[in-house]
């Protein structure tokens, strides 16, 4: 049950537009559910196209030439982001509880992983605000040439439910550091923490219209953002399926810039010379972290044949020891899946694994009589052609596959439409470099998994996305480069 | 010349804060308009009335010892030095005087803090940044105290200390707080030309690490004591170095207060050590030390030469220098005259003329020369001298007797060599260190006042006729720190700014400094750059790591 002293139950007037709380134009609302119990937490206003239009107008006004936001010193934009980080740090216990209530992830994780990473991400981009430098360029002829790094303008941002706070920070940090304005749609499953952060955005002093936050559904509010003629850029994190729609909507409307961070089926390669205990624990973490609801989950664990049996045995033991239950219990490692739809989809994949001949080593069923809990599940003898080896399950279901040689495993690891992340466990420096160079993935971890830093870029090859988030690279996706060339009477070096 | 409050210096801090509108606030400080460090820093209630900060009355000096290993030490020699208020000559306090032995202790401490595996070396870069950000917050908290201390110790106008020096200090710390985890090495696609082994047909993976240099000695001047402290420590710490810093003997007090805040912010012991002392003793010990990896010095060109020699004689420590200037400020006839007069005036008289970047050679185009001189002299005559703690005062005393005497001697040389004295020209009050705002016209390039750095409130105005001529004359100096150009003509602006041999060129502005923008000198004005991303280079060693791999692919 919730330990929240004063759970934030927003009234339905909770669209955040122009630094004000507004009701939906349609007056519609939708329930947000506690996935640990299946109970309604509260009703939330449901944004649709008319609300998106209002938010875009506010964001456009805030972005107009000469506005307070445009005229603000870059260092002061950074200071605002730092202040936002400070406010989130101040309220971190509350935000962590709210996140757990709405999303189902263990409180111990919300508090010690999600919220601190949010704070660090915002501080990181706060620092960039006045360091995002253009260049002066020695062009041929009697000219003086320089570049300005200008914000793109009004950015639509659509974020998922698996890391609601963190995804919000990943999106806001670079967009605001570079001076854009934002219309953000948060996932309908998990709108609450984003709305609380909206109140902090106002509190720390961002000008009205710079950030607008709308809870709503993808096909309505999300689609309105992606198709909007006055949104200059859209950034989306979510499924590859919806990623296709976003890119099409951009093409069908105003060619807005698109960045996508989509699905994965990430290979995790265990060589026979790896430290066994580390590899087992990290591979367990790589898949089961966040109830398996990670786009970068290590969902194809390739294990070299000579250690396969031992690895399997230890992995099964580890999965059986995983503590599933009340996310507010500090001992809990795994909470519920986010909603009934995901829950049913994962159960379906488990059935397909059994049907297609994979060997169920543990788990495979429902873990509680209410809420959306699923047992930690491991399949052995998984073949590359099976559905569970090809599709993103987004749940606590681990696939272990056997391989013999380096060349073979590189080929098989790359035989997927996805290319988000990958990992290698080996003590051999040559293998480590050779395989990491050979993998078609935006992130490769060596002897570790899920190591994220605000400083390091993240994003996908192939169908896993477009562009990079985090790091200095993340700034590129929020910047237009303007080349200014001035005729001069005489050039000198 | 108006006179305010000289007789009441001791009680000047007494009045409680008075409230005025923001505009009044700004217009009461005629010089800060051109400072990039804007006054609109208080976000939020812009429409509400603002309070003019007032100095803290009867401020007690809290920190007077040597700061080593996060603790306060007495000097090994037992010696102390006296610190005076230059506005009154009164003794403010005595401060422990560091010498060679104390430097050795501090180096030992800084070296220990820099050991491989130490808390400081193992700290996440983002946490180093966070410590600097926290230090900025603490400076902001103690801003009034620090500004008061700065005004008492250096004689600078309190409101300038508050709005310029302290704001710049806070912003610089925050700026470098942000850099700490953004100092990125590269991975480099090595070509095969150096596969020198005939036996191994190898391929390579190369990356660079940007590592801190190590123990850095830093010696700072008295003209912007706390701001120079921040300029020095912020980039050094953000790159992960450890520090021995010697503030000037005239103005150690704010540096010692900063030492206290550094400890409070949570920097590990030994990371920053603050040693008040004299140049020929403590400063020389730092410059010659065999276990200091880098030295950064801001001060006179004469001492800069000694520092570079000391590095050469000892361990070839890396050297950055920020030295003197005799900066040209070029005013074309097509400029906004009143604005140019105003900017040239503050470009010279700011901080009692005690700026390395002072625009001390004002070149004015022939057709506006007389009018420019007339208005400049009038501006100088209207300058308000007095107790630097009192609002409305524009100019305080010079820092000490030695500077005072030197300035008066140069003024006499100007008169003797035939420059026209338009106003000022002598001490303002026989008992103190104040000097009248002085303007010379008809100055020619060969006069001493046109060649030597005066470092006082003495403005030289020269006449010029053509672009080519003024470029050539502006560059005829062994200095190359800063320069200004006033013109509305884009071609002239770009031509002249390209041609000037100076590390900073301001167009239609002067003294527009900010943490993001590099600053440093051509020629004998220095070596290396401070501020901006460029400063990080001065505090990092680049290590290239090359790994043999089995097969390279793009």
């Amino acid at each position: 049950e919730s330990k929240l002293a004063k759970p934030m139950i927003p009234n339905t007037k909770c669209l955040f537009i122009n630094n004000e709380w507004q009701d939906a134009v349609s007056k519609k609302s939708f329930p947000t559910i506690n996935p640990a119990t299946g109970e309604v937490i509260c009703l939330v206003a449901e944004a649709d196209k008319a609300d998106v239009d209002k938010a875009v107008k506010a964001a456009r006004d805030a972005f107009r030439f000469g506005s307070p936001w445009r005229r603000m010193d870059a260092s002061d934009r950074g200071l605002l982001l730092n202040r936002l980080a400070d406010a989130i740090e101040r309220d971190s216990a509350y935000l962590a509880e709210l996140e757990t209530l709405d999303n189902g992830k263990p409180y111990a994780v919300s508090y010690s992983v999600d919220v601190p990473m949010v704070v660090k991400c915002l501080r990181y981009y706060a620092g960039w605000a006045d360091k995002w430098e253009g260049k002066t360029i020695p062009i041929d002829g009697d000219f003086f040439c320089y570049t300005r790094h200008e914000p793109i303008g009004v950015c639509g941002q659509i974020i998922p439910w698996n890391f609601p706070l963190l995804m919000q920070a990943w999106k806001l940090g670079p967009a605001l550091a570079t001076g854009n304005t934002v219309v953000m749609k948060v996932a309908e499953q998990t709108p609450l923490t984003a709305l609380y952060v909206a109140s902090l955005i106002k509190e720390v002093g961002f000008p009205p219209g710079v950030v607008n936050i709308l809870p709503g559904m993808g096909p309505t509010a999300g689609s309105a953002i992606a198709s909007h003629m006055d949104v200059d850029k859209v950034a989306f994190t979510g499924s590859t399926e919806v990623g296709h729609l976003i890119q099409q909507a951009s093409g069908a409307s105003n060619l807005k810039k698109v960045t996508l961070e989509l699905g994965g089926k990430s290979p995790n390669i265990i060589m026979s010379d790896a430290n066994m205990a580390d590899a087992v624990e990290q591979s367990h973490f790589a898949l089961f972290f966040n109830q398996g609801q990670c786009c970068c989950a290590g969902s194809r664990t390739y294990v070299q044949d000579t250690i396969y049996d031992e690895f399997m045995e230890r992995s099964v033991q580890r999965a059986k020891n995983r503590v599933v239950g009340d996310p507010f219990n500090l001992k809990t490692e795994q909470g519920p899946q986010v909603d009934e739809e995901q829950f049913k989809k994962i159960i379906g994949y488990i059935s397909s694994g059994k049907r297609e001949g994979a060997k169920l080593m543990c788990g495979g069923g429902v873990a509680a009589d209410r809420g959306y809990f699923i047992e930690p599940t491991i399949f052995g003898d998984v073949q590359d052609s099976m559905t569970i080896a090809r599709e993103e399950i987004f749940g606590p279901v681990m696939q272990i596959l056997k391989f013999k040689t380096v060349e073979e495993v590189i080929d098989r690891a790359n035989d997927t439409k996805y290319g988000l992340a990958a990992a290698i466990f080996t003590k051999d420096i040559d293998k480590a470099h050779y395989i990491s160079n050979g993998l078609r993935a935006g992130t490769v971890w060596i002897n570790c998994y899920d190591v994220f830093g605000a400083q390091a870029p993240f994003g996908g090859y192939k169908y896993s996305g477009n562009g990079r988030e985090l790091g200095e690279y993340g700034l590129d996706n929020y910047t237009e480069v303007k080349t200014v060339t001035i005729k001069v009477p005489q050039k000198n070096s | 010349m108006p006179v305010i409050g000289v007789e009441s210096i001791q009680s000047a801090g007494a009045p409680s804060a008075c409230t005025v509108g923001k505009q009044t606030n700004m217009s009461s400080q005629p010089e800060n308009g051109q400072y990039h460090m804007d006054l609109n820093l208080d976000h939020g209630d812009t429409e509400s009335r603002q309070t003019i900060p007032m100095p803290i009355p009867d401020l007690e000096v809290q920190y007077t010892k040597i700061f080593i290993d996060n603790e306060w030490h007495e000097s090994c020699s037992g010696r102390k030095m006296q610190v005076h208020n230059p506005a009154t000559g009164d003794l403010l306090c005595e401060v422990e005087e560091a010498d060679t032995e104390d430097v050795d202790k501090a180096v030992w401490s800084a070296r220990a803090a820099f050991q491989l595996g130490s808390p400081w070396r193992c700290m996440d870069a983002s946490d180093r940044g966070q410590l600097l950000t926290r230090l900025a917050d603490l400076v902001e908290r103690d801003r009034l105290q620090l500004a008061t201390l700065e005004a008492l110790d250096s004689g600078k106008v309190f409101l300038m200390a508050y709005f310029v020096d302290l704001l710049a200090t806070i912003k610089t710390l925050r700026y470098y707080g942000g850099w700490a985890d953004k100092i990125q090495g590269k991975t480099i696609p090595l070509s095969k030309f150096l596969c020198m082994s005939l036996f191994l047909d190898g391929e390579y993976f190369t990356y660079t690490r940007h590592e801190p240099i190590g123990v850095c000695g830093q010696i700072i001047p008295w003209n912007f004591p706390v701001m120079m402290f921040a300029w020095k420590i912020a980039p050094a710490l953000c790159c992960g170095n450890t520090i021995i810093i010697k503030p000037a003997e005239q103005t150690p007090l704010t540096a010692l207060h900063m030492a206290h805040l550094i400890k409070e912010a949570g920097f590990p012991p030994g990371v920053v050590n603050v040693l008040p002392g004299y140049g020929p003793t403590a400063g020389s010990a730092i410059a010659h030390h065999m276990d200091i990896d880098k030295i950064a010095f801001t001060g006179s060109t004469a001492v800069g030469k000694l520092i570079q020699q000391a590095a050469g004689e000892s361990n070839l420590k890396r050297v950055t220098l920020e030295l003197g200037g005799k900066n040209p400020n070029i005013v074309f006839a097509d400029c906004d005259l009143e604005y140019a007069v105003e900017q040239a005036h503050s470009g010279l008289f700011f901080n009692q003329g005690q700026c390395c970047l002072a625009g001390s050679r004002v070149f004015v185009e022939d057709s506006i020369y007389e009018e420019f001189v007339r208005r400049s002299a009038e501006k100088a005559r209207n300058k308000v001298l007095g107790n630097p703690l009192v609002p409305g005062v524009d100019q305080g005393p010079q820092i000490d007797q030695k500077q005072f005497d030197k300035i008066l001697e140069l003024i006499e040389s100007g008169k003797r060599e035939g420059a026209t004295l338009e106003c000022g020209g002598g001490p303002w009050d026989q008992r103190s260190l104040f000097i009248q705002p002085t303007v010379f016209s008809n100055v020619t390039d060969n006069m001493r006042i046109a060649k030597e750095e005066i470092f006082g409130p003495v403005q030289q105005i020269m006449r010029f006729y053509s672009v080519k001529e003024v470029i050539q004359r502006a560059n005829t100096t062994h200095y190359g720190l800063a320069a200004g150009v006033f013109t509305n003509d884009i071609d002239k602006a770009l031509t002249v700014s390209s041609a000037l041999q100076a590390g900073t060129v301001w167009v239609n502005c002067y003294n527009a400094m900010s943490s993001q923008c590099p600053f440093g000198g051509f020629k004998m004005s220095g070596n290396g750059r401070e501020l901006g991303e460029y400063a990080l280079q001065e505090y990092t060693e680049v290590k290239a790591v090359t790994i043999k791999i089995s097969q390279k692919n793009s």
Side-chain angles (χ1 to χ4, degrees):
Chain A
E1 95 236 41
S2 168
K3 291 177 180 172
L4 282 174
K6 34 168 192 161
M8 184 188 111
I9 307 298
N11 59 32
T12 56
K13 197 169 167 180
C14 65
L15 306 185
F16 185 73
I17 298 174
N18 219 17
N19 278 7
E20 286 167 5
W21 296 104
Q22 305 194 5
D23 209 341
V25 171
S26 68
K27 306 285 180 203
K28 283 208 302 196
S29 64
F30 65 92
T32 183
I33 309 284
N34 175 353
T37 61
E39 288 163 356
V40 173
I41 301 170
C42 61
L43 292 176
V44 174
E46 182 183 339
D48 202 338
K49 188 172 182 312
D51 308 290
V52 169
D53 286 342
K54 278 169 70 179
V56 170
K57 188 182 174 306
R60 178 60 60 196
D61 281 351
F63 191 74
R64 76 170 193 283
F65 202 58
S67 73
W69 181 239
R70 292 295 298 279
R71 292 184 35 75
M72 187 179 286
D73 283 345
S75 64
D76 284 335
R77 287 204 305 271
L79 199 53
L80 285 176
L81 277 170
N82 259 326
R83 297 278 179 260
L84 180 59
D86 291 345
I88 289 173
E89 192 169 52
R90 179 194 67 197
D91 296 346
S92 54
Y94 178 77
L95 275 164
E97 290 197 39
L98 198 58
E99 191 82 322
T100 291
L101 184 69
D102 206 11
N103 165 283
K105 64 175 68 199
Y107 174 77
V109 174
S110 312
Y111 185 75
S112 64
V113 179
D114 294 63
V115 177
M117 284 180 78
V118 166
V119 171
K120 286 191 172 194
C121 176
L122 295 174
R123 290 208 172 119
Y124 176 75
Y125 281 108
W128 269 123
D130 61 356
K131 301 173 183 68
W132 188 219
E133 299 164 338
K135 303 172 198 282
T136 64
I137 299 173
I139 61 169
D140 295 350
D142 286 331
F143 302 100
F144 167 60
C145 176
Y146 64 89
T147 56
R148 274 167 54 84
H149 288 189
E150 297 186 358
I152 295 177
V154 177
C155 298
Q157 303 185 319
I158 303 175
I159 60 171
W161 46 260
N162 57 343
F163 294 94
L165 274 171
L166 189 59
M167 290 301 109
Q168 185 183 37
W170 284 24
K171 291 281 182 289
L172 290 180
L176 298 177
T178 46
N180 295 277
T181 60
V182 169
V183 176
M184 173 178 279
K185 185 194 93 64
V186 297
E188 65 271 22
Q189 293 89 343
T190 55
L192 298 184
T193 47
L195 293 173
Y196 187 78
V197 169
S199 74
L200 300 181
I201 284 168
K202 182 174 180 177
E203 176 191 323
V204 302
F206 281 92
V210 171
V211 180
N212 305 277
I213 297 185
L214 308 174
M217 308 294 163
T220 52
S223 169
I225 289 172
S227 302
H228 206 287
M229 293 301 289
D230 204 25
V231 169
D232 301 302
K233 185 240 160 72
V234 64
F236 169 76
T237 297
S239 71
T240 295
E241 184 192 350
V242 175
H244 280 283
L245 298 177
I246 301 276
Q247 189 123 328
Q248 285 174 53
S250 161
S253 58
N254 62 344
L255 285 172
K256 54 178 70 64
K257 281 105 188 70
V258 179
T259 52
L260 302 170
E261 204 270 87
L262 309 174
K265 192 73 187 176
S266 300
N268 178 16
I269 299 170
I270 320 295
M271 305 302 295
S272 59
D273 65 359
N275 177 312
M276 175 64 75
D278 277 358
V280 168
E281 182 57 33
Q282 290 294 311
S283 302
H284 175 84
F285 171 69
L287 186 283
F288 291 100
F289 177 63
N290 208 43
Q291 295 70 245
Q293 301 167 147
C294 299
C295 50
C296 56
S299 53
R300 290 184 293 147
T301 311
Y302 285 98
V303 182
Q304 201 156 23
D305 51 2
T306 53
I307 58 162
Y308 181 85
D309 292 337
E310 188 190 352
F311 185 92
M312 175 65 79
E313 189 185 326
R314 292 209 200 188
S315 293
V316 169
Q317 200 52 50
R318 179 64 184 90
K320 282 180 176 165
N321 290 338
R322 190 167 182 80
V323 182
V324 182
D326 174 12
F328 280 102
N329 185 324
L330 294 182
K331 292 205 175 70
T332 296
E333 292 178 285
Q334 181 178 319
Q337 307 309 122
V338 76
D339 66 7
E340 193 173 2
E341 186 189 335
Q342 288 293 319
F343 175 82
K344 285 182 171 162
K345 188 178 132 195
I346 296 161
I347 296 291
Y349 276 119
I350 292 174
S351 304
S352 93
K354 294 180 196 165
R355 203 168 52 239
E356 294 179 18
K359 189 166 165 193
L360 183 68
M361 305 301 294
C362 67
V366 175
D369 51 13
R370 67 168 191 166
Y372 310 119
F373 295 88
I374 291 179
E375 291 177 339
T377 298
I378 295 184
F379 280 111
D381 296 339
V382 177
Q383 302 302 312
D384 292 353
S385 56
M386 292 176 182
T387 308
I388 56 171
R390 304 207 70 79
E391 295 185 15
E392 187 173 38
I393 300 174
F394 233 62
V397 185
M398 183 179 197
Q399 286 64 241
I400 303 186
L401 307 90
K402 192 187 289 185
F403 77 92
K404 281 199 174 65
T405 70
V406 168
E407 297 301 336
E408 170 207 345
V409 79
I410 292 176
D411 280 350
R412 291 172 62 192
N414 286 336
D415 180 19
T416 167
K417 67 178 186 177
Y418 294 113
L420 193 55
I424 307 153
F425 285 82
T426 178
K427 287 182 197 154
D428 183 317
I429 190 171
D430 283 340
K431 284 180 196 153
H433 281 115
Y434 186 74
I435 301 173
S436 65
N437 286 350
L439 292 169
R440 307 275 298 157
T443 292
V444 179
W445 288 294
I446 299 177
N447 295 329
C448 55
Y449 206 99
D450 272 350
V451 177
F452 282 93
Q455 303 88 359
F458 179 74
Y461 281 39
K462 300 193 274 184
Y463 284 61
S464 285
N466 204 331
R468 291 293 178 273
E469 298 193 274
L470 301 185
E472 184 173 357
Y473 295 89
L475 301 170
D476 288 330
N477 293 315
Y478 288 94
T479 307
E480 292 277 20
V481 175
K482 178 184 282 176
T483 304
V484 181
T485 302
I486 306 176
K487 177 87 179 78
V488 295
Q490 186 194 72
K491 181 181 68 177
N492 280 273
S493 60
Chain B
M1 188 178 305
V3 178
I4 301 184
V6 165
E7 60 293 339
S8 63
I9 281 182
Q10 285 313 311
S11 58
S16 60
C18 59
T19 302
V20 296
K22 193 171 205 172
Q23 288 310 312
T24 315
N25 178 354
M26 292 182 66
S27 61
S28 72
Q29 306 146 38
E31 279 176 334
N32 67 37
Q34 61 280 355
Y35 262 73
H36 217 59
M37 300 141 184
D38 67 303
L39 297 184
N40 297 310
L41 61 150
D42 295 309
H43 300 288
D45 46 45
T46 40
E47 74 281 5
S48 72
R49 292 154 76 77
Q50 273 202 324
T51 302
I52 285 192
M54 293 296 286
I56 296 173
D58 305 324
L59 182 68
E60 205 175 305
V61 177
Q62 284 175 279
Y63 308 102
T64 60
K65 293 189 176 175
I66 296 170
F67 185 77
I68 296 176
D69 219 29
N70 276 8
E71 280 166 16
W72 298 104
H73 296 253
E74 283 161 14
S75 66
C76 294
S77 67
R79 286 201 307 273
K80 294 172 195 272
M81 48 190 202
Q82 297 195 330
V83 179
H84 294 97
N85 176 346
T88 61
D90 293 342
L91 180 68
L92 282 170
C93 63
E94 290 197 320
V95 167
E96 298 292 326
E97 181 197 331
D99 202 336
T100 309
E101 267 185 89
D102 308 284
V103 170
D104 286 340
K105 265 169 74 179
V107 171
W108 191 88
S109 158
R111 180 60 61 194
F114 193 72
Q115 287 250 310
L116 213 57
S118 74
W120 180 240
R121 292 298 296 279
C122 294
M123 187 179 284
D124 283 344
S126 64
D127 287 336
R128 284 204 308 271
Q130 192 55 24
L131 283 177
L132 278 170
T133 305
R134 201 175 301 154
L135 181 59
D137 291 343
L138 295 177
V139 173
E140 196 158 45
R141 182 196 68 191
D142 290 358
R143 187 171 178 177
L144 212 48
Q145 206 174 341
L146 280 160
T148 306
L149 210 50
E150 195 78 322
L152 286 171
D153 201 4
S154 76
K156 68 172 59 197
V157 174
F158 166 78
L159 286 174
M160 286 293 149
Y162 187 89
F163 283 114
V164 179
D165 299 59
L166 265 299
L167 182 60
T169 300
I170 292 163
K171 288 199 165 191
T172 301
L173 293 169
R174 291 222 166 95
Y175 176 75
Y176 284 107
W179 266 123
D181 61 356
K182 298 172 185 71
I183 303 166
Q184 303 172 137
K186 304 172 197 275
T187 63
I188 299 172
L190 220 59
S191 72
K192 272 194 173 178
F193 82 99
L194 256 185
C195 293
M196 71 286 278
S197 164
L198 298 173
F199 314 109
L200 290 176
D201 185 20
E203 309 200 24
Y204 301 93
F205 166 59
T206 291
Y207 61 89
T208 55
R209 277 166 52 81
H210 290 192
E211 298 185 357
I213 294 176
V215 177
C216 299
Q218 304 185 318
I219 302 176
I220 58 174
W222 46 260
N223 57 343
F224 295 93
V226 74
M227 188 172 100
M228 289 297 114
F229 188 90
W231 282 26
K232 287 285 181 290
I233 68 159
L237 294 175
C238 112
C239 297
N241 297 278
T242 59
I243 291 174
I244 317 251
I245 187 165
K246 185 191 92 60
E249 67 270 18
Q250 294 91 339
T251 54
L253 300 183
T254 45
L256 293 174
H257 191 99
M258 291 295 287
H260 164 72
L261 298 183
I262 282 166
K263 182 176 180 176
E264 183 181 346
F267 284 90
V271 171
V272 181
N273 304 279
V274 184
L275 285 74
Y278 292 96
T281 54
S284 171
I286 291 172
H288 283 95
H289 207 287
M290 292 300 289
D291 205 24
I292 288 182
D293 302 303
K294 188 242 156 75
I295 184 163
F297 169 76
T298 298
S300 72
T301 295
V303 175
K305 290 181 166 186
L306 296 178
I307 301 274
Q308 187 115 324
Q309 285 174 54
E313 276 167 28
S314 57
N315 63 343
L316 284 172
K317 53 178 71 64
R318 287 103 188 81
V319 179
T320 52
L321 302 170
E322 204 270 87
L323 308 174
K326 191 72 190 179
N327 307 296
N329 187 5
I330 300 168
V331 183
F332 284 97
D334 64 8
C335 73
D336 175 342
L337 182 62
E338 185 53 31
Y339 175 73
V341 167
E342 151 69 27
Q343 291 284 302
H345 173 84
S346 57
L348 185 284
F349 289 99
F350 177 64
N351 207 42
Q352 294 70 245
Q354 302 168 144
C355 298
C356 50
L357 44 72
S360 52
R361 290 186 293 151
V362 184
F363 290 96
V364 179
E365 196 166 7
D366 175 51
S367 62
I368 57 166
Y369 186 81
E370 273 76 24
E371 181 62 13
F372 189 95
V373 168
R374 191 186 65 74
R375 292 199 200 184
S376 294
E378 185 184 314
K379 233 175 189 13
R381 263 183 237 113
N382 286 335
K383 218 158 174 61
V384 181
L385 275 68
N387 177 358
L389 298 180
V390 173
V393 168
D394 301 324
Q395 184 180 320
Q398 307 308 123
I399 187 73
D400 64 11
Q401 190 69 45
K402 190 176 154 204
Q403 289 293 320
F404 177 82
D405 292 344
K406 182 186 135 193
I407 296 161
L408 288 182
E409 196 262 323
L410 278 161
I411 290 175
E412 290 312 312
S413 86
K415 296 177 189 167
R416 213 172 40 241
E417 292 181 348
T420 308
L421 182 68
E422 296 286 342
C423 69
W428 172 62
D429 165 0
Q430 293 303 332
R431 296 158 302 141
S432 69
L433 299 175
F434 290 82
I435 291 180
Q436 292 174 348
T438 298
V439 176
F440 279 114
S441 64
N442 297 316
V443 177
T444 55
D445 295 353
N446 58 348
M447 294 177 183
R448 280 184 66 201
I449 54 172
K451 292 199 295 199
E452 296 178 27
E453 188 174 34
I454 302 175
F455 231 62
V458 186
Q459 184 177 36
Q460 288 63 241
I461 307 182
M462 291 90 143
R463 190 191 300 256
F464 77 92
Y465 298 90
S466 77
V467 172
K468 202 176 163 195
E469 167 213 347
V470 78
I471 289 171
Q472 196 259 325
R473 290 172 62 193
N475 286 338
T476 305
T477 166
H478 57 264
Y479 293 113
L481 194 57
V485 184
F486 286 83
T487 177
N488 285 337
D489 182 321
I490 190 170
D491 284 344
K492 273 185 206 156
L494 290 172
T495 301
V496 176
S497 60
S498 295
L500 289 170
Q501 294 165 350
T504 294
V505 179
W506 288 295
V507 178
N508 293 333
C509 54
Y510 205 94
N511 281 353
M513 309 275 293
S514 75
S515 313
Q516 299 88 4
C517 189
F519 176 73
F522 281 33
K523 300 195 275 185
M524 285 172 75
S525 287
N527 203 335
R529 291 293 178 272
E530 300 193 274
L531 300 183
E533 185 174 0
Y534 293 87
L536 302 174
Q537 292 169 18
E538 316 288 353
Y539 287 97
T540 43
E541 293 277 13
V542 175
K543 178 186 283 175
V545 180
T546 299
I547 304 177
K548 164 88 175 59
I549 55 174
S550 50
Q551 188 190 80
K552 183 179 70 179
N553 280 272
S554 63

